[in-house]
């Protein structure tokens, strides 16, 4: 069909396809689809069943606490009391997520320092006002620290700055921050190191961060993807006032990591989480700590792996789509999407591996689109070529049939049985000598319009015009049932309508016209014949010559057919045998017949 044109003219198609694939592969390093990819990551996270570790306990400053204790900020004496209460319950680590910056200036600060010093396990946050990523290392500047004496009393410090993606969702954190003061652990990592008594410095390296015997894998930007606990298994928050009132049980606190921080919009920062939740900074810290302590980390494909995937899928599909119809290609594209998407979700569920989805699936979509668009353009060109080639010879409905069923990007020469009809105006030379050119052309055009209309009606193909003669073939370029009968029927109608046309011409120009017709059936050679820019679809061969010779035998108003035509329609036509007739170019005489009428 027309699709064959795509198969035969693939040079441009493959060139466009390969350029597209290379561009998509190169764009991986610019990450134009990174946030669309993050959306697919969020979706895949919903399939994971991640539990919250029981040795992480959250104590939150809630709206209830504010109503009971008073509006924020609270005096530092209240925080000192809270730390003392926690110390009595013997937690392993206290992460106190409140920034006490500025200079020490009153006795309340002394109480806070003393409580911190006595606890020996308090980790305080610091805040980085500016963060940026450079070559896989995250840098922080303009660091806000607790006041000096409190910082020195703390077991450790950790930065607690969370940065969302441009869609405002927080999915990743930098486990360590490089600053002018040296490497600074994140608040969750500082808690984990205090809990495990790891004193080694955290060393950022390419795609990983090492501390003691442990390793945290990070992406090429130096960020760790958070594993969020399933909603039904997420961390429960104990109101702050219960700590101050002594309502907590020692068995619920002893030996555990306690994180104290804001748990309401008026008491702390809130961020958008991947699972659609609006989550407090306290909960983000707990989930980050949960990720580090579980040593269960998401792994992502490297950019090199993504490029290889795009190249493999792109090259494979650009070839496959070239062999398929648009509908078959659409089915293949959707199948690839379904299978690859299923593999990606399974890889996340089974191995915590995020296979890149957006770029490979977009590659398949664009290669399919390239195939469809190129095929459409090629088909339009092919239809235009076929229309130009055959529109001069056959009826529009026949051209439509060729477009529907034919494969004519190149019309191949072939042998085929056809019925050839020659029709010629009798006595045209004397007529041309007696009429002015304008009248002669007018008569000729009316005659040719009559012939063309009838030929098209009976599914014939105009092969060529030879002056006032017309050569017609039946059964090419598309098959025509009973082509012998249709050729004879066309000839009879031409003769009948010419009688009426002749009467009109006689009334206008005082001239009569008639036509002689010869018909022969046999095998001919069909194809595009010519050279350079002058090429025409034509039939050639001995059987064409015989039809021309039979037309020469016929008188005005007469239709002569060969024995090969007559034998095919003998039961459907009334003829007058004319016996054997000698024709030019043939050694043996031919048995010929005059057509009188069709049998009813």
């Amino acid at each position: 069909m027309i699709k064959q044109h795509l198969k035969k003219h693939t040079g441009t198609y493959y060139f466009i396809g390969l350029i597209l694939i290379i561009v998509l592969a190169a764009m991986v390093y610019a990450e134009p689809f990174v946030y669309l990819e993050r959306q697919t990551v969020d979706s895949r996270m919903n399939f994971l069943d991640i539990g919250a570790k029981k040795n992480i306990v959250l104590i939150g400053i809630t709206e209830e606490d504010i109503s009971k204790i008073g509006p924020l900020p609270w005096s530092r004496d209240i925080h000192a009391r809270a730390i003392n209460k926690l110390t009595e319950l013997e937690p392993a680590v206290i992460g106190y997520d409140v920034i006490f910056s500025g200079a020490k200036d009153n006795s309340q600060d002394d109480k806070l320092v003393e409580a911190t010093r006595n606890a020996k396990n308090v980790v305080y946050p610091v805040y980085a006002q500016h963060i940026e990523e450079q070559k896989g290392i995250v840098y922080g500047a303009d660091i806000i620290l607790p006041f000096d004496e409190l910082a020195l009393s703390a077991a450790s410090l950790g930065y607690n700055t969370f940065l969302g993606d441009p869609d405002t969702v927080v999915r990743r954190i930098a486990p360590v921050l490089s600053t002018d003061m040296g490497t600074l652990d994140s608040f969750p990592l500082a808690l984990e190191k205090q809990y495990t008594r790891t004193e080694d410095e955290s060393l950022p390296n390419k795609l990983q961060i090492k501390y003691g015997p442990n390793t945290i894998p990070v992406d090429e930007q130096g960020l760790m993807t958070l594993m969020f606990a399933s909603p039904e298994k997420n961390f429960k928050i104990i109101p702050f006032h219960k700590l101050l009132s002594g309502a907590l049980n020692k068995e619920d606190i002893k030996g555990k990591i306690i994180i104290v921080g804001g748990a309401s919009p008026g008491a702390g920062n809130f961020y958008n989480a991947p699972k659609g939740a609006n989550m407090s900074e306290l909960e983000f810290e707990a989930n980050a700590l949960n990720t580090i302590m579980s040593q269960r980390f998401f792994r992502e494909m490297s950019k090199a792996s993504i490029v290889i995937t795009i190249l493999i899928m792109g090259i494979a599909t650009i070839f496959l789509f070239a062999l398929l119809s648009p509908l078959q290609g659409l089915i293949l594209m959707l199948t690839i999407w379904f299978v690859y998407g299923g593999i990606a979700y399974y890889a996340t569920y089974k191995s915590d591996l995020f296979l890149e989805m957006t770029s490979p699936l977009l590659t398949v979509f664009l290669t399919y689109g390239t195939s469809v668009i190129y095929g459409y353009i090629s088909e339009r060109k092919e239809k235009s070529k076929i229309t130009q080639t055959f529109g001069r010879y056959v009826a529009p409905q026949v051209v439509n049939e060729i477009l529907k069923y034919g494969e004519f990007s190149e019309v191949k020469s072939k042998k085929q049985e056809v019925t050839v009809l020659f029709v010629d105006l009798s006595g045209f030379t004397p007529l041309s000598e007696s009429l002015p050119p304008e009248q002669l052309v007018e008569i000729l055009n009316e005659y040719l319009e009559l012939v063309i209309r009838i030929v098209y009606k009976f599914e014939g193909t105009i092969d060529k015009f030879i002056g006032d003669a017309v050569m017609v073939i039946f059964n090419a370029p598309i098959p025509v049932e009973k082509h012998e009968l249709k050729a004879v029927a066309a000839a009879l109608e031409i003769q009948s309508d010419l009688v009426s046309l002749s009467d009109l011409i006689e009334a206008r120009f005082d001239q009569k016209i008639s036509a002689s017709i010869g018909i022969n059936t046999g095998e001919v050679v069909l194809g595009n014949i010519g050279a350079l820019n002058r090429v025409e679809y034509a039939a050639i061969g001995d059987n064409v010559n015989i039809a021309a010779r039979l037309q020469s035998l016929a008188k005005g108003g007469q239709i002569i057919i060969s024995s090969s035509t007559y034998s095919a329609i003998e039961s459907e036509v009334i003829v007058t045998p004319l016996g054997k007739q000698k024709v030019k170019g043939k050694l043996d005489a031919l048995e010929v017949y005059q057509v009188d009428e069709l049998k009813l």
Side-chain angles (χ1 to χ4, degrees):
M1 310 302 287
I2 298 299
K3 187 69 176 178
Q4 293 287 21
H5 180 81
L6 187 59
K7 297 177 187 177
K8 295 176 183 177
H9 299 79
T10 52
T12 302
Y13 166 71
Y14 287 129
F15 178 76
I16 294 172
L18 289 174
I19 290 297
L20 173 67
I21 294 166
I22 291 170
V23 169
L24 286 170
M27 288 172 66
V28 167
Y29 293 93
E31 298 186 326
F33 313 117
V34 62
Y35 299 113
L36 180 60
E37 179 65 21
R38 294 292 174 196
Q39 296 293 327
T40 74
V41 169
D42 295 348
S43 174
R44 282 176 271 178
M45 280 186 178
N46 291 328
F47 283 80
L48 298 177
D49 184 21
I50 301 172
K53 285 192 170 293
K54 296 185 180 189
N55 56 350
I56 300 175
V57 177
L58 305 186
I59 298 177
I61 301 173
T62 66
E63 293 296 333
E64 182 185 4
D65 297 318
I66 295 172
S67 65
K68 287 180 178 293
I69 300 172
L72 296 172
W74 293 333
S75 69
R76 294 178 179 179
D77 176 59
I78 293 175
H79 296 292
R81 285 167 51 201
I83 293 173
N84 287 331
K85 288 283 187 182
L86 280 173
T87 302
E88 293 172 3
L89 300 174
E90 302 179 17
V93 182
I94 300 172
Y96 212 91
D97 187 18
V98 177
I99 295 180
F100 301 103
S101 59
K104 173 174 173 272
D105 60 0
N106 56 45
S107 60
Q108 291 186 4
D109 288 348
D110 290 333
K111 292 179 180 180
L112 182 59
V113 171
E114 183 181 0
T116 302
R117 186 179 294 120
N118 290 338
K120 299 186 172 101
N121 61 356
V122 180
V123 177
Y124 284 114
V126 302
Y127 183 75
Q129 298 186 77
H130 297 95
I131 293 179
E132 62 179 11
E133 180 268 329
Q134 296 179 10
K135 297 181 180 180
I137 298 176
V138 183
Y139 291 88
D142 299 330
I143 307 297
I144 298 176
L145 297 165
F147 61 87
D148 292 345
E149 195 169 342
L150 184 64
L152 292 172
S153 301
S156 182
L157 301 174
Y159 87 93
N160 70 342
T161 308
F162 287 86
L163 297 177
D165 290 331
D167 60 358
T168 72
V169 176
V170 176
R171 302 178 177 92
R172 302 169 295 166
I173 67 165
V176 299
L177 195 67
S178 293
T179 71
D180 293 338
M181 300 180 295
T183 300
L184 187 63
D185 292 329
S186 65
F187 191 67
L189 180 57
L191 292 174
E192 204 276 339
K193 289 173 70 173
Q194 184 66 25
Y195 182 73
T196 58
R197 300 294 187 265
T198 302
E199 298 181 359
D200 294 345
E201 183 181 359
S202 303
L203 300 174
N205 202 345
K206 186 176 182 181
L207 302 181
Q208 64 179 13
I209 292 170
K210 294 184 69 65
Y211 66 99
N214 300 315
T215 299
I216 299 176
V218 294
D219 61 21
E220 293 176 348
Q221 294 175 302
L223 303 175
M224 176 192 79
T225 300
L226 300 178
M227 277 198 171
F228 290 89
S230 303
E232 66 278 4
K233 297 181 180 179
N234 210 340
F235 300 92
K236 303 300 184 286
I237 298 176
I238 300 171
F240 187 86
H241 72 270
K242 289 188 176 183
L243 170 62
L244 288 183
S245 65
L248 301 185
N249 296 319
K250 188 172 184 178
E251 58 267 24
D252 295 329
I253 302 297
K254 185 177 181 179
K256 297 182 179 180
I257 302 174
I258 312 302
I259 308 178
V260 181
S264 65
N269 296 321
F270 273 69
Y271 304 95
N272 292 321
K275 295 187 178 182
N278 193 245
M279 193 175 286
S280 67
E281 184 172 278
L282 181 66
E283 293 169 290
F284 268 98
E285 289 165 345
N287 278 282
L289 176 59
N290 195 59
T291 302
I292 295 171
M293 292 185 68
S294 67
Q295 284 293 294
R296 181 182 177 186
F297 300 102
F298 286 123
R299 294 174 295 126
E300 297 185 355
M301 296 175 68
S302 66
K303 287 186 171 59
S305 298
I306 298 172
V307 168
I308 292 172
T309 302
I310 289 173
L311 291 176
I312 291 174
M313 293 181 69
I315 292 172
T317 54
I318 205 74
F319 277 92
L320 288 173
F321 289 140
L323 304 174
L324 303 175
S325 68
L327 178 58
Q328 291 170 329
L330 177 61
I331 293 172
L332 175 62
M333 182 192 75
L334 294 177
T335 300
I336 292 172
W337 278 15
F338 180 79
V339 172
Y340 186 86
I343 293 172
Y345 273 81
Y346 183 77
T348 302
Y349 174 77
K350 198 71 176 175
S351 305
D352 298 333
L353 172 63
F354 285 139
L355 294 179
E356 178 82 5
M357 289 185 66
T358 305
S359 297
L361 296 185
L362 179 64
T363 299
V364 174
F365 173 76
L366 292 179
T367 54
Y368 169 70
T370 300
S371 173
V372 171
I373 293 171
Y374 183 87
Y376 174 77
I377 294 172
S378 298
E379 185 173 331
R380 288 292 299 270
K381 288 182 179 179
E382 182 68 9
K383 286 182 177 180
S384 176
K385 181 186 293 185
I386 291 173
T387 302
Q388 290 176 4
T389 301
F390 293 100
R392 296 171 291 175
Y393 311 128
V394 298
Q397 63 268 26
V398 177
V399 173
N400 291 337
E401 288 296 305
I402 295 171
L403 292 174
K404 185 176 180 181
Y405 297 110
E407 297 178 2
F408 286 97
S409 59
E410 293 180 5
V411 179
K412 294 181 178 179
S413 299
K414 62 179 180 179
K415 286 186 177 182
Q416 184 173 318
E417 182 183 80
V418 298
T419 296
V420 183
L421 179 152
F422 273 88
V423 56
D424 187 30
L425 278 178
S426 298
F428 180 74
T429 301
L431 186 68
S432 65
E433 293 174 350
S434 61
L435 289 174
E438 295 82 3
Q439 293 180 355
L440 182 66
V441 170
E442 187 176 348
I443 292 172
L444 186 60
N445 285 341
E446 290 187 32
Y447 150 72
L448 292 175
E449 286 175 7
L450 179 149
V451 172
I452 292 170
R453 173 177 55 79
I454 295 172
V455 167
Y456 285 176
K457 175 182 175 181
F458 289 96
E459 302 178 65
T461 299
I462 303 295
D463 183 283
K464 60 176 64 71
F465 297 104
I466 311 167
D468 59 313
V470 182
M471 175 182 166
V472 182
I473 54 176
F474 294 82
N475 204 39
I478 62 172
V480 176
E481 290 186 6
K482 296 185 176 181
H483 52 90
E484 303 92 345
L485 181 61
K486 289 187 176 180
V488 170
L492 287 168
E493 190 163 324
I494 289 171
Q495 293 291 24
S496 174
D497 286 9
L498 268 178
V499 173
S500 300
L501 180 62
S502 179
D503 292 341
L504 291 173
I505 291 174
E506 184 179 17
R508 288 158 57 194
F509 303 113
D510 196 27
Q511 297 283 346
K512 294 183 70 69
I513 63 171
S514 63
S516 55
I517 299 176
I519 300 174
N520 178 48
T521 300
E523 196 175 70
V524 301
V525 175
L526 297 166
N528 275 343
I529 298 173
L532 298 178
N533 295 326
R534 183 64 176 173
V535 178
E536 291 187 347
Y537 181 76
I540 57 174
D542 187 52
N543 284 301
V544 174
N545 297 332
I546 290 175
R549 299 293 178 254
L550 295 181
Q551 180 271 315
S552 298
L553 284 176
K555 299 180 176 61
Q558 189 177 31
I559 302 170
I560 294 180
I561 63 175
S562 66
S563 58
S564 59
T565 302
Y566 176 65
S567 63
I569 58 172
E570 185 175 353
S571 62
E572 299 176 271
V573 66
I574 298 173
V575 300
T576 299
L578 299 179
K580 290 190 175 184
Q581 301 287 331
K582 188 73 175 175
V583 297
K584 184 179 178 181
K586 300 295 291 184
L587 295 176
D588 298 327
L590 301 177
E591 192 77 35
V592 297
Y593 304 85
Q594 174 185 293
V595 177
D596 298 325
E597 59 182 319
L598 296 177
K599 292 181 180 179
L600 298 177

